[in-house]
Amino acid sequence: MSRVVTLAHYYTQPEIQQMADKVGDSLELSLFARDAQADIIVFAGVRFMAETAKILNPQATVVLPDRGSTCSLVTQTDVAALQRWREQHADHVHVSYINSSAEHKALSDWIVTSRNVDDIIAHLYAEGKKVIFSPDRNMGAYLNFQHGYDMPLWSAVCEVHDKFNQQALDEAFAAVPGARYLIAHPESPLPVLQLADYVGSTSGMLNWVRNYAYEPDAVIFVATEDGILYNMRLARPDLRIEQAPIYAGCQCNQCPYMKMNTIEAVKRAQQGQGEVIDYLSPAQMDAARLPIERMLAFSERYYR
Ligand code: 13P
Ligand code: SF4
């Protein structure tokens, strides 16, 4: 009998999360995948997450339920151009967001997730290093703004978070007579992040909601993919939690790639059918593993 472990990101539909052994953010799922005693790991997420699981647990068969589950941060990044950019900044440390292909990771010194990006870059600056950041321009711009860094940035965006905008938020805020809060994922544009009461990873935002202790009738706007509203409302059914609008009347911002994880596709993947991550060579995996392991060692030291 094959041991099957199913992982689901917070952005998948509630019914997919209910099928999973572990639901979490990118960092938690990477750690869980690395340590899983499994023959088959079904990754109900997107391709870069399944690739990371395979790199960290190469003995397991890792299956992505739908081969179309990509990420715009990956598809907007031409790896040959990235390599030239890196060569132009040979004296910099290259920090890459985990939302990147295996080839991209192999061109990186450190991988970060939205959970640890702040701490890792602060650590590098404290050591006197110069840093370039890829691929998420919005996340990099926020770090530069927030901490006064001067990191050259690669220019790709999350097509979902990039839709949040200040005008729609201003209108939504004006329609709330009482207290309101905004929490946001750092893939959102800088003008949105500047309005936020809290900026953090999916787990960070979920914890903010869990621990919320301000006005009980406030409206909490959440600038991220709508899947995690399920987890937030489950944790705090007493609160008024709404997705941030992208235009008046539309609280409908979904990641098309995460939503490809349908019940049927996940069930098939649990039988070993779907997109098996078997195309990375041992050399590619070794090169990509190094910067991921650097991050995991740092994160375990700081977060466990
Ligand atoms: P987290 O690491 O915060 O879970 O984010 C992953 C992601 O793809 C956000 O769009
Ligand atoms: Fe990629 Fe954005 Fe979807 Fe996250 S929400 S997987 S960053 S496209």
Side-chain angles (χ1 to χ4, degrees):
M1 245 317 251
S2 297
R3 293 163 301 173
V4 182
V5 166
T6 303
L7 311 180
H9 190 268
Y10 287 125
Y11 292 166
T12 55
Q13 329 248 27
E15 52 272 32
I16 302 301
Q17 297 191 27
Q18 286 155 13
M19 293 168 78
D21 299 292
K22 170 80 182 164
V23 179
D25 69 6
S26 304
L27 180 63
E28 291 159 348
L29 294 177
S30 300
L31 286 167
F32 200 89
R34 183 195 63 181
D35 299 337
Q37 303 289 315
D39 301 304
I40 299 179
I41 297 176
V42 174
F43 212 125
V46 293
R47 182 178 294 273
F48 75 81
M49 296 179 177
E51 287 181 350
T52 305
K54 179 67 184 176
I55 290 164
L56 292 173
N57 194 341
Q59 274 77 45
T61 298
V62 178
V63 191
L64 181 69
D66 190 305
R67 63 175 316 175
S69 295
T70 184
C71 167
S72 65
L73 287 164
V74 174
T75 54
Q76 290 175 11
T77 299
D78 177 274
V79 175
L82 181 86
Q83 181 157 18
R84 289 194 294 278
W85 183 69
R86 197 207 165 155
E87 283 161 10
Q88 285 156 14
H89 298 89
D91 56 342
H92 287 61
V93 175
H94 182 200
V95 177
S96 299
Y97 190 32
I98 197 164
N99 297 36
S100 50
S101 65
E103 276 175 292
H104 183 147
K105 288 184 173 73
L107 293 172
S108 311
D109 300 301
W110 283 80
I111 298 302
V112 293
T113 75
S114 51
R115 179 95 162 262
N116 53 31
V117 60
D118 254 298
D119 291 343
I120 288 177
I121 293 182
H123 164 78
L124 293 171
Y125 269 93
E127 285 190 328
K129 302 273 179 18
K130 293 198 283 184
V131 178
I132 53 172
F133 185 73
S134 71
D136 191 329
R137 180 184 75 213
N138 286 339
M139 188 178 284
Y142 178 66
L143 290 161
N144 279 346
F145 165 79
Q146 192 72 357
H147 302 289
Y149 301 148
D150 53 358
M151 295 186 293
L153 306 177
W154 187 254
S155 191
V157 293
C158 161
E159 66 182 53
V160 180
H161 289 85
D162 199 51
K163 291 192 186 116
F164 294 115
N165 63 87
Q166 186 180 356
Q167 192 190 341
L169 278 165
D170 285 344
E171 286 167 18
F173 290 170
V176 177
R180 49 88 187 148
Y181 291 88
L182 171 68
I183 60 177
H185 195 280
E187 291 170 9
S188 309
L190 184 57
V192 170
L193 299 176
Q194 286 171 319
L195 290 177
D197 299 287
Y198 173 78
V199 175
S201 68
T202 49
S203 288
M205 288 186 286
L206 187 54
N207 282 335
W208 188 94
V209 167
R210 275 198 189 107
N211 299 325
Y212 178 88
Y214 308 111
E215 299 85 345
D217 55 353
V219 178
I220 300 168
F221 291 101
V222 183
T224 199
E225 213 272 355
D226 75 348
I228 200 169
L229 298 190
Y230 163 68
N231 309 83
M232 291 176 172
R233 289 175 179 147
L234 211 58
R236 291 295 301 269
D238 56 315
L239 300 180
R240 293 175 64 191
I241 302 167
E242 293 186 16
Q243 193 184 35
I246 53 175
Y247 51 83
C250 172
Q251 289 166 307
C252 49
N253 199 5
Q254 294 192 331
C255 175
Y257 315 115
M258 288 283 183
K259 299 310 194 224
M260 287 175 179
N261 292 289
T262 59
I263 294 177
E264 297 69 34
V266 173
K267 278 190 183 156
R268 275 198 303 273
Q270 288 171 334
Q271 308 299 319
Q273 295 160 27
E275 175 74 343
V276 177
I277 309 295
D278 58 1
Y279 49 82
L280 300 172
S281 71
Q284 277 178 317
M285 290 201 280
D286 287 348
R289 190 178 301 114
L290 215 66
I292 302 173
E293 282 185 339
R294 206 167 267 151
M295 165 187 78
L296 294 180
F298 181 95
S299 300
E300 281 172 323
R301 186 154 31 105
Y302 279 77
Y303 304 130
R304 281 203 168 168

